[in-house]
Amino acid sequence: MKQRAQSALQTWRGCALVILIFLGCQFTATTQSGAPAIRLNQVGFYPNSTKIAVVTGQNNGGKFYIINGNRDTVFNGMLTAEKKSSWSSRYTRIADFSNVSVSGYYTITVPGIGESVPFRIGEGIYDTVSRAVLKGFYFQRSDLELVPEYAGSWSRPAGHPDTEVLIHPSASSSTRPAGTKLASPGGWYDAGDYNKYIVNSGITMGTLLSAYEDFPEYYRKLNINIPESNNAVPDILDEVLYNLRWMLTMQDPADGGVYHKCTNAVFDGMVMPGITKEPRYMVQKSTAATLDFAAVTAQSARVFRAYGAELPGLADSCLAASVKAWGWAIINPAVVYNQELLNRNFKPAVLTGDYGDGNPRDEWFWAAAELLVSTGDDKYYPIVSQFINDPASVPSWANVEMLGFYTLLRVTGKQQSHEDLIVLKNSLISMADIFLLKKNGNAFQTVMGQSAGDFIWGSNSVAANQGIFLVNAYLLTRDHKYLDGALSNLDYILGRNATGYSFITGIGTKRPMFPHHRPSEADGIKEPVPGLLVGGPNPGMQDKCTYAETEPETAYTDLTCSYASNEIAINWNAPVVYLVNAIQALSPDLKR
């Protein structure tokens, strides 16, 4: 056992020597070399944070031991009583070793069960993963050659230049009839496919901009080794800017409306970007896309105004675009993107992701909140006031109202009444308390798993967005219980869950190797593109792939065919960027 443990520890330490340009951490093994029944955060723990491992399966309980790199026992404790999970047939016992605070390399031994994978305790423990998940956006860039200096093994030619995008018949107008060629370069590929969608860019951009607004000093120092890293703009904003410039091309200057997406008619095959040469289209304008655009450009105007010398005119252009988009939405308040109906009336049929949203109520609030704060114009307040009493909720691409809550609470001013802010704060804190109330009853001691409804398509983004919600509760109250709750969901994402996977490519000893992601499938490289969060357990299993387990918290399969559980998406990566970097920024505040 000693020899095996030392070998595993050497593998862990050696990881620091093979951190490639992408800033991820690779292991030679693709499955856990330790006891698979012991689930824990595979990256490690801060000295002053809560430290929990979960022992799964029915067993006799008893003692557990924390072993350091010299094979000395530094701590022992008792496993908790057995608990049956509400969301699977898993049984669990908790090993709490929060009192171990000396930096170093460790394993957990449970007699009769075995020894865990090695893990580390130390300061800056999430430095690698925090950079990797933000760097993941660089690998999603369209219309850019990824060179070895920045992309390492995952270098590739530029794909989809989008210099001659066609106006689809559904988007035809007097000034831009069908077939008109427009340039719409740049932006991020949305997910495992090669299309670009305004609605999903909305929540993605809002989340990344909010991350910067909440922790500006932290991000000014964060270098992720992208082509722009040596300029005077923080890397997170350079990455945002790459997508922002594309979004600006999606607005019709004639009327301010925003096209729903830039897309092929059908998905490309599992090939590298740029291999196929199918026509690309700008498809019908929609109210949801236009309001998401208005919100993002208003927030961008506020954020980029501080970089006027480096990016002259950008903030003004963004604000003008936002106001114009708002004007189009006022005239067109309920233009729904209904792809099925569109395909009955226009050719070619468009069969890529629709991001249809039949109720733009939440987009109205978010756009109004961002414009209110960025312009100071009271004309946006009546819309804000209509929704101020809505209960707080975890955001998703189809429900962005909470992004407006975050902004109003973050940027207080004369436009918001004191009573409004109290209502918003109380609503957020009330929901945060419900999250924590259910945490201790969870078999894995995470906030994630409030109900079976947490395990949906993109469930890992639910975990990350719950974490953001709790970070905001902490920023409002400075009550450490909320920060600890947020950390529990990062533990979930990094391995303390019913599957035992760390759900980020390139991170952890048991990690996704076959995500539904075209470049990762087609590039011929064993390791997938790093720093990408996969969707996670989804009992809907809409892809009809093979799943070894099908219960809510275990319905995950690491197969390329599994777009329902193993695809990646920008709106899933953004909240994990916010969460892990927030924990890094706030790590001095952690208390066990």
Side-chain angles (χ1 to χ4, degrees):
M1 179 184 286
K2 180 177 180 179
Q3 192 172 26
R4 287 201 307 272
Q6 287 177 332
S7 175
L9 192 56
Q10 287 169 357
T11 299
W12 207 105
R13 287 170 168 162
C15 176
L17 301 178
V18 293
I19 296 177
L20 299 178
I21 292 170
F22 72 90
L23 293 170
C25 186
Q26 295 194 78
F27 293 79
T28 56
T30 60
T31 57
Q32 289 181 333
S33 56
I38 303 176
R39 311 287 170 79
L40 77 167
N41 182 324
Q42 294 168 28
V43 173
F45 306 89
Y46 286 101
N48 56 336
S49 70
T50 299
K51 305 171 189 70
I52 286 175
V54 178
V55 180
T56 61
Q58 292 184 281
N59 57 75
N60 295 325
K63 280 192 172 184
F64 69 91
Y65 302 86
I66 304 297
I67 313 296
N68 67 13
N70 296 320
R71 303 305 297 160
D72 296 325
T73 298
V74 299
F75 180 83
N76 67 78
M78 296 295 295
L79 297 173
T80 62
E82 185 176 82
K83 181 183 289 292
K84 166 70 168 58
S85 177
S86 298
W87 317 124
S88 73
S89 52
R90 294 282 191 273
Y91 287 85
T92 69
R93 296 180 188 269
I94 304 299
D96 188 331
F97 53 101
S98 299
N99 287 332
V100 181
S101 59
V102 176
S103 296
Y105 299 88
Y106 300 90
T107 57
I108 301 172
T109 294
V110 181
I113 300 295
E115 193 163 42
S116 74
V117 296
F119 60 90
R120 186 167 73 89
I121 295 174
E123 300 294 347
I125 193 70
Y126 299 132
D127 185 62
T128 295
V129 64
S130 65
R131 294 166 186 261
V133 292
L134 181 54
K135 182 71 172 278
F137 284 92
Y138 168 76
F139 290 105
Q140 288 295 101
R141 290 189 188 187
S142 170
D143 184 36
L144 181 76
E145 179 185 6
L146 305 188
V147 298
E149 180 183 357
Y150 305 108
S153 301
W154 298 276
S155 60
R156 59 167 172 81
H160 299 92
D162 288 336
T163 52
E164 293 187 343
V165 179
L166 304 174
I167 291 291
H168 189 265
S170 65
S172 179
S173 67
S174 60
T175 56
R176 289 180 168 182
T180 300
K181 292 181 180 180
L182 301 173
S184 188
W188 301 311
Y189 293 131
D190 178 74
D193 63 284
Y194 293 136
N195 302 300
K196 300 182 292 190
Y197 306 86
I198 286 290
V199 168
N200 211 38
S201 278
I203 186 171
T204 303
M205 294 281 280
T207 301
L208 293 177
L209 287 164
S210 293
Y212 176 78
E213 286 198 280
D214 284 338
F215 305 102
E217 293 304 318
Y218 169 85
Y219 280 107
R220 288 185 188 118
K221 300 173 184 175
L222 186 68
N223 184 311
I224 61 169
N225 190 36
I226 56 178
E228 303 86 357
S229 285
N230 293 322
N231 67 18
V233 178
D235 282 4
I236 188 173
L237 296 186
D238 282 321
E239 200 55 66
V240 162
L241 184 59
Y242 193 82
N243 200 62
L244 176 64
R245 292 198 185 281
W246 164 70
M247 291 183 74
L248 290 168
T249 71
M250 294 292 286
Q251 184 176 44
D252 185 346
D255 59 15
V258 178
Y259 301 106
H260 198 78
K261 57 182 175 177
C262 175
T263 181
N264 292 9
V266 297
F267 288 115
D268 281 333
M270 299 302 281
V271 297
M272 291 298 287
I275 295 296
T276 61
K277 306 297 180 183
E278 298 301 316
R280 307 268 276 182
Y281 297 94
M282 286 186 180
V283 184
Q284 181 196 312
K285 299 166 189 172
S286 72
T287 303
T290 301
L291 288 171
D292 280 330
F293 174 97
V296 166
T297 48
Q299 190 175 13
S300 294
R302 188 168 69 244
V303 169
F304 283 106
R305 195 163 297 284
Y307 296 93
E310 295 80 9
L311 299 165
L314 177 64
D316 290 339
S317 295
C318 285
L319 196 57
S322 178
V323 171
K324 194 160 190 176
W326 179 267
W328 185 90
I330 291 292
I331 299 170
N332 303 275
V335 179
V336 175
Y337 183 78
N338 183 328
Q339 192 156 280
E340 182 179 352
L341 180 62
L342 178 149
N343 288 339
R344 291 183 204 153
N345 296 301
F346 302 102
K347 300 299 177 188
V350 177
L351 303 176
T352 54
D354 58 5
Y355 291 105
D357 190 342
N359 182 5
R361 182 179 189 275
D362 49 300
E363 283 86 0
W364 279 109
F365 177 78
W366 181 31
E370 298 296 348
L371 278 160
L372 176 67
V373 170
S374 291
T375 66
D377 192 331
D378 289 337
K379 75 177 183 180
Y380 302 105
Y381 181 75
I383 297 290
V384 170
S385 66
Q386 286 181 34
F387 305 102
I388 213 76
N389 290 305
D390 285 2
S393 59
V394 173
S396 66
W397 69 262
N399 182 11
V400 292
E401 185 175 18
M402 198 65 209
L403 300 183
F405 274 48
Y406 292 153
T407 286
L408 292 171
L409 287 167
R410 177 189 305 119
V411 188
T412 58
K414 65 182 179 64
Q415 295 82 26
Q416 305 104 283
S417 73
H418 180 66
E419 291 76 14
D420 287 345
L421 295 178
I422 291 174
V423 168
L424 291 174
K425 179 178 178 180
N426 288 344
S427 179
L428 189 151
I429 298 305
S430 176
M431 181 59 72
D433 287 340
I434 291 172
F435 284 166
L436 297 186
L437 188 64
K438 295 183 178 181
K439 170 176 170 284
N440 290 336
N442 187 319
F444 288 85
Q445 296 275 293
T446 59
V447 169
M448 177 61 177
Q450 294 285 303
S451 71
D454 279 2
F455 301 100
I456 58 172
W457 201 322
S459 62
N460 285 335
S461 71
V462 174
N465 275 302
Q466 288 174 344
I468 294 174
F469 194 103
L470 290 162
V471 168
N472 275 267
Y474 173 73
L475 294 175
L476 289 170
T477 65
R478 296 293 165 174
D479 190 326
H480 290 86
K481 67 183 182 182
Y482 300 117
L483 193 55
D484 191 57
L487 183 58
S488 80
N489 274 18
L490 185 55
D491 286 346
Y492 172 92
I493 289 168
L494 295 174
R496 199 174 98 205
N497 58 66
T499 73
Y501 273 90
S502 167
F503 288 118
I504 300 172
T505 57
I507 300 295
T509 50
K510 184 180 181 181
R511 61 193 185 276
M513 292 296 292
F514 306 102
H516 184 89
H517 180 238
R518 281 161 176 76
S520 295
E521 173 69 6
D523 62 11
I525 300 169
K526 181 180 178 181
E527 285 280 343
V529 171
L532 303 176
L533 181 71
V534 298
N538 173 16
M541 299 177 289
Q542 293 88 345
D543 47 48
K544 310 303 180 187
C545 218
T546 299
Y547 288 71
E549 299 184 79
T550 60
E551 296 171 311
E553 65 182 354
T554 63
Y556 169 76
T557 186
D558 184 23
L559 295 172
T560 303
C561 65
S562 183
Y563 55 80
S565 79
N566 211 33
E567 190 170 11
I568 65 90
I570 57 173
N571 66 309
W572 302 342
N573 244 62
V576 83
V577 166
Y578 183 112
L579 178 58
V580 69
N581 284 284
I583 296 295
Q584 279 276 91
L586 295 170
S587 59
D589 297 355
L590 291 169
K591 290 184 179 180
R592 60 181 184 275

